[in-house]
Amino acid sequence: MVTTTPLEAELLEVAGSVPDPELPVLTLRELGVLRAVHVSGADSVEVELTPTYTGCPAVEAMSLDIERALHARGMREVTVRTVLTPAWSTDDITDEGRRKLREFGIAPPRVGPGSGPVALRLGPTRTLAAEPDPEPIRCPHCGSADTELLSRFSSTACKALRRCLACREPFDHFKEL
């Protein structure tokens, strides 16, 4: 069992409060990409960060923002290390993060039944197909489950573009990973 010192807990809070560069409505803690903070001296710290996907272009910006926040807190030496195992999953997004996504107009990812691969089902783009989805993607504007997929990719690779067939508004859906 790994124990966290009070200083590490404080620094984890500081680093975790950094906004995500692509979705500034979320903090890195709420997004679930900040894994750990290890103090290695009086003013030296190492941060573990897991990107949402390998090759995520936001990792560099996240790292620099974490470094700035921890330098401002008084840490002289800050190292941000990218950690790929365990891989990030949309299950890592906190309940608060999911609430903020919905309020921002992005349908949050559906909560998976646990760890493991995401089932892939090919077929019609509308959620109300011949076999109804047991948990449809709801419109963050009006709550309707009558939505359709417009594009598998939206403003970032992590999101898909959908449209509500009830209120006709387009919206992003943070894809389940």
Side-chain angles (χ1 to χ4, degrees), residues 24-100:
V25 69
L26 295 181
T27 65
L28 298 182
R29 180 190 60 77
E30 293 163 343
L31 186 57
V33 296
L34 187 66
R35 297 298 187 186
V37 170
H38 305 287
V39 174
S40 54
D43 58 359
S44 180
V45 63
E46 181 180 281
V47 178
E48 294 180 4
L49 183 68
T50 300
T52 55
Y53 64 95
T54 305
C56 174
V59 170
E60 185 177 344
M62 285 186 235
S63 298
L64 290 172
D65 291 345
I66 289 170
E67 287 176 23
R68 278 190 212 102
L70 293 176
H71 284 306
R73 166 48 188 79
M75 301 309 293
R76 184 178 52 78
E77 203 174 309
V78 178
T79 304
V80 179
R81 193 166 56 91
T82 301
V83 178
L84 300 177
T85 305
W88 179 85
S89 163
T90 51
D91 291 340
D92 295 331
I93 300 174
T94 65
D95 290 340
E96 177 70 3
R98 291 170 190 282
R99 182 189 65 75
K100 285 182 175 182

Side-chain angles (χ1 to χ4, degrees), residues 143-164:
S144 172
D146 192 13
T147 65
E148 68 179 340
L149 179 67
L150 296 178
S151 175
R152 294 186 197 290
F153 297 99
S154 183
S155 57
T156 66
C158 301
K159 294 182 291 226
L161 181 61
R162 299 188 71 86
R163 177 176 51 207
C164 178

